[in-house]
Every structure is written in C-alpha cells, then in structure tokens.
Amino acid sequence: MFASCNATAPLAQWSGGADVIPLNSSGTFYYICGIPGHCDAGQKVAITVEAAQTGTRHQVGGTPGWSLPSRSNVNYIEWASTQTFLVGDTLYFNYSKDFHNVMEVTKEHYDTCNSSNPILFWDDGATVVQLNTSGTFYFICGVPGHCDAGQKLAVRVAASLPGSVLTGTPSPSPAPSPISASVSLYANAMPAISNIMIILMVFTALAY
C-alpha cells in the first residue's frame, strides 16, 4: 500500500495536526498522507527502527560490505574467523539492494547454495540481524550464482567469551580463633592439672 499509495485500509490513522507516534518495536514502518494525490506527489515516509544494541555491531565483510567476493575482495569465511560473535551482537549487511539480498538458510541449503526456501529474507540494502541465541547461523545471497561465487556467511555465536565463567576455588581454612585455641589448650591441660592437685592432696594428708 505504501508502494502503490493505496489509502483505502490503513493500519492506523491520525488527523490531529501534531501527531506523536511511539516506536515500540523494531522493524520497518510505512506512512503516507491519505489525501488524494498527496502520496503520489511524494508525501510518504518509510522508517526502519533498530533494536537497542547491547552488544557489538559487526559490519559483514568490513568496509566493502556484502557483495560478490570478486568485487569486494572479501572472503566471508575468513572474515568470520577473525570475529567473535556473542549473544546480543548484531550483523550489519551493507549492500546494493538492486543487485544483492540476504537470506538466512539451513546448513544444508548453505552448503548447496539452495535459495528456494529461506528461513528469513531481506532485500532492504541495510539489513540488521540480531543474534539472540547461541549456535551457528547461515546466510547467503539469493541472487542466482552469487552464493556459488562465495557470497555466503556462517557465523558461530557463543553465549559468552571463553573463560569468562567464574569457577569456584576452595577457600583456605580459617585460622583458629585465639579464644577457641585457648579453650582447647585449657581442656587438654585439665587432666594434668587434676593429677597435680591429687598429688598435692596426698602430700598434705601425709604431713598431717
């Protein structure tokens, strides 16, 4: 409806003259003026809302972006091997939407460059993919021949950095309290003290 300027069944409509629209979720949203002829004259806007980033943003392929390796001089397998992907990170595919697209596919379709049934598909030219779970994810360009030419990417996403999980170490035994040590010594000395007292009592009796 945005592309054809069709105003017959809008998702929502405002006419207050100073309308405020909260952006509560990520995605692309499309707006037009519904007065006849206005949208056709260019009174239309499409905005892409990205989720707030909590991790690292990886621009796929670096500065050259997402393109045929013969043009970008990027080996995407080698590029991925130099990156550390963690849950919460994002992939940014920068490409010409007239010549490329992005598909998330299964490993089988990745290996065979099969673009017939992608898991997800993007063709906006500035695709942001949120890495929300750990695992290995596979992406290809679905334009015929591009994946076979090397425009494919596999990323392994880890839950956390290696070695970042804290491991328990045995705590050293606490030094005995001076009070408890004194009590222990006193208790150990009690039999000897009792014996001395008995001997003194015997000598006292003999003296009498």
Side-chain angles (χ1 to χ4, degrees), residues 44-125:
K44 57 196 294 188
V45 62
I47 61 171
T48 299
V49 181
E50 296 181 7
Q53 290 189 17
T54 58
T56 300
R57 178 177 172 133
H58 304 269
Q59 179 164 327
V60 174
T63 302
W66 182 240
S67 185
L68 286 171
S70 59
R71 293 178 178 271
S72 63
N73 197 31
V74 175
N75 183 314
Y76 293 101
I77 296 175
E78 292 181 357
W79 174 82
S81 70
T82 65
Q83 308 293 309
T84 299
F85 302 102
L86 301 175
V87 171
D89 289 356
T90 54
L91 297 176
Y92 172 55
F93 292 84
N94 182 29
Y95 56 97
S96 171
K97 62 182 181 180
D98 295 327
F99 300 102
H100 305 287
N101 57 45
V102 180
M103 292 182 176
E104 183 183 350
V105 296
T106 63
K107 184 180 187 305
E108 180 184 358
H109 285 185
Y110 171 85
D111 291 336
T112 59
C113 287
N114 185 339
S115 60
S116 62
N117 188 26
I119 298 170
L120 291 170
F121 172 78
W122 300 270
D123 62 353
D124 57 355

